Amino acid sequence: METYLKRNNKKWIPLAFLLIHSVAILIFTRGFLLTRTELPFHSTCSDASLSPCLSNSDHNHNQKQPKCWTKPVVDRVVIIVLDALRIDFLAPSAFFPEAKPWMDKLTVLQNLAFGNESSAKIFKAFADPPTTSLQRLKGLTTGGLPTFVDVGNSFGAPAIVEDNFINQLVLNGKRLVMMGDDTWTQLFPNQFHKSYPFPSFNVKDLDTVDNGCIEHLFPTLYKDDWDVLIAHFLGVDHAGHIFGVDSMPMINKLEQYNKVLEKVVDILESQAGPGGLHENTMVIVMGDHGQTLNGDHGGGTAEEVETTMFAMSTKRHTPSVPPEFDTSSCKQDPDGKKICISSIEQLDFAATLSALLGISFPFGSIGHVNPELYALSSSSLNLDNIELGNSGTQPAVNEWMKNYVNVLCVNAWQVKRYIDVYSNSSVVGFSSDDMSRISNLYSAAEHHWSNSIKHTLMDNDGNEDSTNTSALKAQIAAYLSFFSSVAELARSKWTEFNLTLMITGFVMLVISLILQSLAIFHGDKPFAVDSGLSTSAAFSLFIVLIRACSFLSNSYILEEGKVANFLLATTGLIKLRYSLMSKTMRKEAFIFLAMVSVLRVSIDIGLTKQAATSQFMSSSPTWMLGLAPDHPALTYASEIAPIVSVAVLICVLYRGIAKTHSEGIWKYVTVGSMLNYFLIALLWASESKIFVLDGFLQVIGGRNIIPQTVYAIGLLQLFLLASAHMFCAGKDKNWVIRAVALVSACSSPVILLSGKQGSMLALAYLLAGYCIMRLEGVERSTKSDGQNKFSKLDPLCVVQWSLLSVCMFFASGHWCAFDGLRYGAAFVGFDEFVLIRQAILLTIETFGFSIILSVFGLPLLIPIISQTPQAHGEKRHMLFQMYMLYGVISATTVTATILCVTIHRRHLMVWGLFAPKFVFDVVGLILTDVLICLASVYYL
Amino acid sequence: MNEARKKKKKKLDTSSTGVSNHRSISTLGALSVYLITGLFLAVGFWVARNKFSVDLVSDPSLTLFLLWSIEFPVVVIMYSFFRKAPEKCSCFRAYGRSILGLICGAFLNALGAISLGAPIGMQYLPKTVHWSFLMSVFTCVPATAVFGASWTDWHRVFASMKPSGNVEYMIFIPAYGTIIGGWFGAWPMPLDWERPWQEWPICVCYGAIGGYIVGQIVSLCAMFFFRKDKHLKVA
């Protein structure tokens, strides 16, 4: 009875840890992985009639061009994006505590902004984190707050599917020209009328993109075949990354930009006369984000989010904004002149530009039309009513406010519509409290609008009394408060991590880690305690901890495969030392090191694949030994080797079942695996060119038959094993044969999905695992305590096994990023896409070697020494310990990753590197826990 | 780790006596030996810098070559003086086997480095070769000069770590120090600091040399504190 209880206990413990881990990770994820659902809806011009606002045709009868939501106030827009433009690059040094060498270099813009006779202004622009170019461009054009997981985003292709400013321009028949950073063409593959993209990933190249931009920018400015021009310069960003802000290349870059901008302004002004090409053009020079003094960006510190914007209208007038809505801060410049810069949120960029160009606002935009930017070119609004010289006076201000309040009305209606639709359609919408607060603000503003302001505007009688003015101001203020509370809500939902949840999750994981470590010693006999501090245990702890610490740096995460391999080789060398000391198993130790070397070459090859796609890795194909990749001998070898490896695997299995005199179902399952291997070899042989088996696939009916048969046999095997376990439980005490049956049953789909490298890797894995098993306890045998030789757990061999499985993950060509998934594997054996089935196949392919086989194969590490029943009980206990230890090692890694993303949550690479790593680790941990549960049910 | 591998190379068990009948050395003598080796290491760096105007960062292969080719004769001459059974084994024989030991040790060091992840490829080959020669000078050459191919001595000193006499402390502690130092020296390599010294094998060399020096200091301390123990063993 007691043994039964104990046995049952052991089955429940892994389940308990699975639950604790799942809850901890769920809590952490709620706080860390901010998600936002992308809505597929688009705004159209006709939508505006649904709003309570004045449609433009009512308001202004004598218009020339067809219009959409608002009346267009500028004809053309030139947007010059200077990547990573800090606020102090453009704003005068008077605004900062001390003048630095990189300040006051863009003098041409400063002179324009602070000159008397121009409608130009410098803004301090606030970006929202993550401050990486891609996310910022997405945020600027959609008017939203992109998060790491924008649900609906197709992984791999970064093209924006949400409604956005660029898309609206195209829908409204505007022609776009783009030059510079090729991120734009990735985000908007088809929208540009003309594009001159230049590669952006080479950070060390300061000039290619800029020179390309300059080359195309000036001729394009003279042309009339575009309405919106986007030029994206990257030099400042790259100079920052390489040299830092305080450096000569940076200053040279800024001086170069100053010349370029001077020329741009000259060209525009030369064409700005009545009837000219740029009669009513707006120039915007802006940064997409800031940078720190070291040139980093991505996080949310003040230096990174504070960027700048310069806007100028070629139509000269004095902007008229009522002082209530003026956000500018002013300083005295050295000459004693008053200079002011305003501020703007990047969130508002899409809405403001849409209003300026008179197109419908992007559906998902939550920004509002910025009064000061809008005012820069509003003089053209009512030229028929007010003569130019009058602008800036009270009637002009009033007229501007009337127009602006109508724009805000449409804007507020659009934002409210988005919030409502989002809240209804998203799984994780806003809370009802927040929604009701926002609805109240909106309905108050709208009520006021419908009852009074609308009539005032409709009358349009031109008498400007003071009550009218103050009512308008109150209306604008009501709208602005609505907008600010929407933005605040959206920020809290989409850009702010919930640190409490994150820390709770982390603490839970740490507690579970401690519990699990204690569980290793669960029911242990006293002698195990004194072995707890043996050299082997201490060394295992050292290796696990050093690996965990390595996750605190992005560089080590990037080269995680190499780090794991380095540690694995270190353990191999230690084992070699012990084996030489005890003069046993020397051959195994050398084979193990050889296998580690094989794996490391494979990891190197995997890294070069990663370098081809990753934005952080510089390509280093160092492993190439001067052999051309398409050398005939090489292709021949690469066709033959996998098939030979499969043949070797079949032989190994055959020897395995021939040696052990097992009976019954386990044997048949293993034979089934041999059949599977044979089928795989047949499939590869028929696909390759050197065997003349071309017709073979047609004969059996298509190339999908064999993979499907393999899957079917695999499922049948698992079913047989499960039923055998249920019906003949306890009969067969020899679990080696059971483990062989289970592992071989799982391995055939894994090998098939991994492609041709799969069989070779499986062979290397098998060999290395065999060596680990043989070397298990080699250091103990020197101490000649033979009596409890096999009942003590050797932690080092479990650590080795775990490191080996990590190496296998990287050696099989994976890495922790979504572009590292091999989507092709999901379609081995199937042509059509069924989400669940393909997801299962992809999971098997991704974690097959590193988790599925390694968890199920763990019992094989227990050396076969004694078959007496009394030894069996001890071995079962040892197996339980091994599973617990394996679980602890995996959980330690994940805990370290979680600690790392908590610390680095505002790091430059948090979305590019840490978050994918986190997702992979977490999925891996849960899968490991589930499989440990299954395995302990099966084996214990 | 790789001291263990040396045993693979030769199976000539010429002297399996196990009795230490080689010349002994005092702690002070060991210190002077260390100072001389350190001096010539410094000379190596000086020659590289002033005569060839290269350093480890600008031309690792040449610098490493200079370092090991200057250090090697010094180490061989110094340690051959303490060779086992000097009456049976002439000085020149000790030199000869040291050269053999240098090559074998370099080979094993290179294999170890590659299994730990040293870059492979033609452009790295000279660097790896010279690096492993330098490592061999630190780890393997003193032992070959003293023990020759005596498997039991190697095993006793390196694997079982039961040295008898100051000379054996002088052999195995700096050797371990070199390897552990090199191991730690590899850690900065993947970091993205973009410093030129992060390239293979520069920081590993620094680590190894640092470890060698630390090993020398530790061995001096060991000699100093375990003096009585030593006397017991010799007696």
Side-chain angles (χ1 to χ4, degrees):
Chain A
M1 189 62 202
E2 195 201 338
T3 50
Y4 176 78
L5 261 180
K6 214 171 155 190
R7 191 177 158 167
N8 241 7
N9 240 348
K10 283 186 181 164
K11 286 183 187 172
W12 287 113
I13 288 172
L15 194 64
F17 283 115
L18 168 65
L19 287 179
I20 297 177
H21 287 164
S22 315
V23 171
I25 286 168
L26 195 70
I27 290 175
F28 185 86
T29 312
R30 286 281 308 230
F32 172 64
L33 277 192
L34 312 161
T35 52
R36 191 177 65 103
T37 312
E38 292 188 341
L39 299 180
F41 306 110
H42 291 254
S43 302
T44 53
C45 279
S46 52
D47 290 351
S49 59
L50 303 171
S51 76
C53 312
L54 298 173
S55 64
N56 280 291
S57 50
D58 293 343
H59 178 49
N60 201 342
H61 295 280
N62 52 348
Q63 53 177 326
K64 287 148 247 165
Q65 64 228 82
K67 57 186 159 178
C68 199
W69 287 15
T70 54
K71 190 186 175 211
V73 289
V74 295
D75 298 333
R76 312 172 93 188
V77 175
V78 177
I79 301 172
I80 296 176
V81 183
L82 306 178
D83 213 291
L85 190 71
R86 285 164 61 98
I87 172 74
D88 54 3
F89 286 166
L90 179 52
S93 52
F95 283 88
F96 304 99
E98 58 180 313
K100 291 280 169 76
W102 60 83
M103 292 178 184
D104 295 327
K105 294 293 171 210
L106 300 173
T107 46
V108 56
L109 300 185
Q110 290 181 1
N111 293 340
L112 280 169
F114 306 124
N116 293 324
E117 281 292 307
S118 76
S119 52
K121 210 163 212 175
I122 289 176
F123 294 86
K124 184 179 195 175
F126 293 94
D128 287 291
T131 47
T132 53
S133 290
L134 190 139
Q135 311 277 2
R136 277 333 305 152
L137 293 186
K138 199 171 173 182
L140 281 171
T141 52
T142 59
L145 297 165
T147 58
F148 171 60
V149 185
D150 282 346
V151 180
N153 179 9
S154 53
F155 289 123
I160 297 181
V161 289
E162 264 187 303
D163 193 15
N164 57 66
F165 169 60
I166 303 291
N167 191 34
Q168 287 297 334
L169 285 173
V170 174
L171 285 181
N172 284 283
K174 306 279 183 192
R175 292 155 301 172
L176 284 115
V177 177
M178 194 283 306
M179 56 199 68
D181 187 351
D182 61 355
T183 314
W184 284 90
T185 45
Q186 289 169 21
L187 292 174
F188 308 101
N190 306 315
Q191 276 89 332
F192 294 112
H193 181 238
K194 254 189 215 159
S195 63
Y196 309 99
F198 296 92
S200 58
F201 57 81
N202 187 0
V203 180
K204 292 187 178 156
D205 178 358
L206 300 186
D207 293 320
T208 307
V209 176
D210 289 0
N211 292 344
C213 255
I214 294 165
E215 183 192 335
H216 291 104
L217 178 60
F218 300 131
T220 312
L221 284 176
Y222 287 108
K223 290 185 187 152
D224 62 349
D225 60 346
W226 52 269
D227 299 299
V228 175
L229 184 151
I230 298 166
H232 192 140
F233 290 78
L234 278 176
V236 164
D237 179 59
H238 288 184
H241 280 305
I242 300 295
F243 302 103
V245 169
D246 192 1
S247 63
M248 261 335 271
M250 178 66 85
I251 289 164
N252 292 340
K253 267 286 148 199
L254 290 172
E255 281 167 352
Q256 181 195 7
Y257 287 168
N258 195 39
K259 290 201 193 89
V260 170
L261 291 170
E262 190 172 11
K263 196 165 172 199
V264 168
V265 170
D266 282 349
I267 293 173
L268 292 179
E269 289 189 336
S270 70
Q271 307 268 331
L277 211 47
H278 295 292
E279 183 190 357
N280 190 10
T281 298
M282 175 159 254
V283 188
I284 294 178
V285 179
M286 63 188 293
D288 54 350
H289 50 73
Q291 56 179 321
T292 64
L293 287 182
N294 294 327
D296 292 332
H297 56 88
T301 61
E303 282 184 314
E304 290 162 277
V305 298
E306 285 176 12
T307 176
T308 180
M309 180 190 281
F310 165 87
M312 182 188 95
S313 168
T314 52
K315 205 158 214 173
R316 289 178 180 237
H317 74 115
T318 315
S320 47
V321 180
E324 285 89 343
F325 310 116
D326 199 341
T327 57
S328 56
S329 68
C330 297
K331 287 265 159 61
Q332 299 281 325
D333 76 351
D335 308 333
K337 210 172 80 179
K338 194 179 159 204
I339 48 175
C340 298
I341 58 172
S342 309
S343 69
I344 187 173
E345 303 269 347
Q346 282 198 346
L347 193 62
D348 303 334
F349 179 77
T352 311
L353 273 214
S354 299
L356 285 171
L357 281 162
I359 59 174
S360 39
F361 297 11
F363 188 87
S365 161
I366 51 170
H368 68 273
V369 177
N370 181 284
E372 286 151 290
L373 184 56
Y374 190 68
L376 271 183
S377 41
S378 308
S379 70
S380 58
L381 274 173
N382 290 314
L383 284 177
D384 44 343
N385 292 4
I386 301 160
E387 59 271 35
L388 200 62
N390 241 355
S391 67
T393 56
Q394 190 58 32
V397 169
N398 242 352
E399 197 55 43
W400 177 82
M401 280 208 300
K402 279 183 186 173
N403 193 60
Y404 181 59
V405 80
N406 193 40
V407 169
L408 277 192
C409 172
V410 181
N411 192 353
W413 166 80
Q414 170 262 329
V415 170
K416 181 71 171 56
R417 175 181 68 166
Y418 172 68
I419 295 287
D420 286 341
V421 173
Y422 181 84
S423 187
N424 291 333
S425 61
S426 168
V427 189
V428 278
F430 299 106
S431 73
S432 53
D433 284 355
D434 294 330
M435 280 309 291
S436 65
R437 190 163 50 84
I438 288 208
S439 296
N440 287 341
L441 278 173
Y442 180 70
S443 52
E446 206 217 307
H447 184 73
H448 190 240
W449 165 265
S450 311
N451 287 352
S452 60
I453 303 291
K454 194 170 184 179
H455 303 299
T456 321
L457 290 182
M458 296 270 267
D459 293 346
N460 203 15
D461 51 3
N463 67 332
E464 320 288 353
D465 52 65
S466 59
T467 50
N468 200 346
T469 310
S470 62
L472 278 174
K473 281 179 181 167
Q475 182 66 34
I476 293 176
Y479 280 133
L480 289 182
S481 94
F482 163 72
F483 287 124
S484 71
S485 65
V486 168
E488 186 194 344
L489 173 66
R491 287 218 169 86
S492 73
K493 181 81 185 165
W494 290 325
T495 67
E496 278 168 27
F497 299 113
N498 189 334
L499 206 56
T500 328
L501 286 183
M502 287 169 78
I503 289 175
T504 315
F506 175 70
V507 169
M508 277 184 76
L509 260 188
V510 171
I511 291 171
S512 87
L513 207 59
I514 295 166
L515 287 178
Q516 207 166 6
S517 316
L518 292 178
I520 297 175
F521 301 109
H522 165 83
D524 219 337
K525 298 188 178 60
F527 63 74
V529 179
D530 60 20
S531 78
L533 282 173
S534 69
T535 34
S536 158
F539 186 70
S540 312
L541 194 66
F542 173 70
I543 292 282
V544 172
L545 286 184
I546 211 168
R547 182 166 136 73
C549 291
S550 77
F551 289 137
L552 294 180
S553 162
N554 54 321
S555 313
Y556 291 122
I557 291 183
L558 214 51
E559 309 238 358
E560 191 191 344
K562 277 187 167 177
V563 173
N565 192 76
F566 181 76
L567 293 174
L568 184 63
T570 309
T571 62
L573 290 172
I574 297 287
K575 286 278 185 186
L576 177 68
R577 183 178 169 279
Y578 279 121
S579 81
L580 287 167
M581 207 160 116
S582 63
K583 304 185 185 177
T584 49
M585 314 280 178
R586 274 170 277 182
K587 208 192 301 166
E588 282 81 358
F590 278 104
I591 294 175
F592 183 70
L593 279 180
M595 284 304 115
V596 172
S597 308
V598 169
L599 284 184
R600 80 138 280 190
V601 174
S602 190
I603 289 172
D604 273 5
I605 297 172
L607 279 178
T608 57
K609 276 189 216 155
Q610 177 180 3
T613 57
S614 165
Q615 46 181 325
F616 306 122
M617 299 274 298
S618 51
S619 169
S620 57
T622 54
W623 56 277
M624 279 287 186
L625 289 164
L627 259 179
D630 50 353
H631 194 271
L634 214 60
T635 47
Y636 196 72
S638 68
E639 299 276 359
I640 288 285
I643 294 167
V644 173
S645 322
V646 173
V648 174
L649 283 177
I650 294 177
C651 294
V652 169
L653 270 191
Y654 177 74
R655 282 200 55 193
I657 55 169
K659 258 175 122 180
T660 51
H661 46 277
S662 74
E663 68 288 336
I665 208 134
W666 321 111
K667 196 161 186 168
Y668 295 121
V669 170
T670 316
V671 172
S673 309
M674 288 162 64
L675 178 66
N676 260 348
Y677 288 160
F678 177 71
L679 286 176
I680 292 170
L682 198 63
L683 177 72
W684 289 343
S686 60
E687 277 174 356
S688 80
K689 293 183 187 69
I690 40 179
F691 303 100
V692 200
L693 285 170
D694 287 337
F696 175 73
L697 285 178
Q698 274 86 40
V699 173
I700 58 164
R703 66 195 164 83
N704 286 342
I705 291 290
I706 290 181
Q708 285 174 1
T709 319
V710 171
Y711 300 143
I713 294 178
L715 281 177
L716 183 71
Q717 285 172 308
L718 289 183
F719 173 73
L720 280 177
L721 288 175
S723 56
H725 178 70
M726 267 189 270
F727 297 123
C728 347
K731 264 190 214 164
D732 198 342
K733 296 264 183 198
N734 178 9
W735 64 45
V736 173
I737 186 72
R738 280 199 277 167
V740 168
L742 180 58
V743 171
S744 67
C746 295
S747 68
S748 48
V750 173
I751 292 174
L752 175 67
L753 287 173
S754 302
K756 296 202 171 160
Q757 56 170 353
S759 61
M760 289 184 279
L761 285 173
L763 204 60
Y765 198 22
L766 186 70
L767 221 61
Y770 172 77
C771 295
I772 292 178
M773 187 269 277
R774 297 281 291 167
L775 289 167
E776 193 265 340
V778 69
E779 64 268 32
R780 243 190 340 252
S781 58
T782 56
K783 290 175 195 149
S784 70
D785 47 352
Q787 73 277 17
N788 50 23
K789 194 170 162 150
F790 59 88
S791 60
K792 261 205 278 182
L793 170 73
D794 178 16
L796 191 54
C797 82
V798 183
V799 172
Q800 277 185 312
W801 184 248
S802 154
L803 281 175
L804 181 64
S805 63
V806 175
C807 287
M808 288 304 292
F809 177 79
F810 291 95
S812 50
H814 300 98
W815 58 93
C816 289
F818 294 111
D819 54 357
L821 292 173
R822 294 227 302 259
Y823 297 99
F827 294 96
V828 175
F830 298 100
D831 287 329
E832 70 278 28
F833 180 81
V834 180
L835 182 66
I836 307 237
R837 186 178 66 196
Q838 262 57 46
I840 290 173
L841 287 186
L842 195 59
T843 313
I844 293 177
E845 200 275 332
T846 309
F847 294 113
F849 279 116
S850 59
I851 292 177
I852 298 176
L853 291 188
S854 81
V855 170
F856 284 146
L858 199 56
L860 295 175
L861 289 188
I862 299 177
I864 320 146
I865 294 168
S866 158
Q867 298 291 348
T868 59
Q870 171 257 344
H872 178 76
E874 279 185 348
K875 269 171 39 176
R876 214 182 64 207
H877 178 63
M878 183 168 153
L879 184 62
F880 169 77
Q881 284 185 323
M882 284 170 91
Y883 271 119
M884 280 297 110
L885 185 58
Y886 191 86
V888 169
I889 294 168
S890 312
T892 312
T893 323
V894 176
T895 313
T897 312
I898 281 183
L899 178 66
C900 161
V901 293
T902 313
I903 294 171
H904 291 304
R905 64 189 181 281
R906 291 295 180 203
H907 189 275
L908 161 69
M909 292 178 177
V910 70
W911 302 121
L913 187 70
F914 294 119
K917 165 79 183 143
F918 166 78
V919 172
F920 271 79
D921 268 14
V922 158
V923 172
L925 178 66
I926 298 291
L927 192 63
T928 309
D929 279 341
V930 170
L931 291 177
I932 286 179
C933 284
L934 291 178
S936 54
V937 169
Y938 180 72
Y939 291 120
L940 292 179
Chain B
M1 37 207 258
N2 73 342
E3 74 287 347
R5 272 172 269 131
K6 290 151 202 163
K7 295 141 206 172
K8 270 271 137 181
K9 62 182 192 255
K10 287 266 161 172
K11 283 283 177 183
L12 300 174
D13 247 26
T14 47
S15 70
S16 55
T17 52
V19 186
S20 50
N21 51 353
H22 53 88
R23 286 172 206 160
S24 187
I25 183 170
S26 68
T27 309
L28 216 58
L31 179 66
S32 54
V33 169
Y34 287 164
L35 286 179
I36 292 169
T37 52
L39 179 72
F40 276 87
L41 206 58
V43 166
F45 277 108
W46 182 83
V47 168
R49 164 159 297 194
N50 291 353
K51 298 287 166 198
F52 293 84
S53 55
V54 292
D55 56 14
L56 265 181
V57 174
S58 62
D59 190 350
S61 310
L62 181 60
T63 317
L64 284 171
F65 170 73
L66 291 170
L67 282 181
W68 75 257
S69 55
I70 290 172
E71 185 79 357
F72 173 65
V74 180
V75 170
V76 168
I77 293 165
M78 307 261 283
Y79 280 86
S80 298
F81 185 69
F82 306 109
R83 66 191 177 276
K84 286 216 154 184
E87 61 283 353
K88 282 188 216 159
C89 170
S90 77
C91 217
F92 294 101
R93 197 172 153 199
Y95 298 163
R97 70 192 186 191
S98 299
I99 292 171
L100 211 62
L102 174 75
I103 294 163
C104 296
F107 181 66
L108 292 170
N109 271 304
L111 284 188
I114 284 170
S115 81
L116 281 169
I120 41 180
M122 291 322 276
Q123 75 267 43
Y124 289 101
L125 191 64
K127 295 179 197 170
T128 310
V129 166
H130 291 298
W131 171 83
S132 48
F133 272 111
L134 185 68
M135 288 294 281
S136 182
V137 168
F138 289 151
T139 56
C140 215
V141 169
T144 24
V146 174
F147 300 137
S150 161
W151 167 245
T152 43
D153 283 327
W154 281 85
H155 190 264
R156 176 172 53 81
V157 172
F158 280 110
S160 312
M161 295 212 272
K162 286 174 190 145
S164 63
N166 278 349
V167 175
E168 293 180 2
Y169 278 115
M170 283 171 61
I171 291 168
F172 96 95
I173 296 182
Y176 269 106
T178 308
I179 288 156
I180 294 169
W183 191 85
F184 279 107
W187 276 94
M189 279 173 66
L191 288 172
D192 60 352
W193 298 341
E194 308 248 330
R195 298 293 149 84
W197 52 263
Q198 282 178 295
E199 286 289 309
W200 166 257
I202 301 162
C203 55
V204 182
C205 285
Y206 286 136
I209 292 171
Y212 183 63
I213 292 164
V214 170
Q216 291 181 331
I217 295 165
V218 170
S219 70
L220 283 177
C221 298
M223 282 177 231
F224 190 74
F225 287 112
F226 299 125
R227 227 172 356 184
K228 294 217 169 60
D229 196 23
K230 180 204 76 181
H231 284 312
L232 206 69
K233 268 185 186 167
V234 171

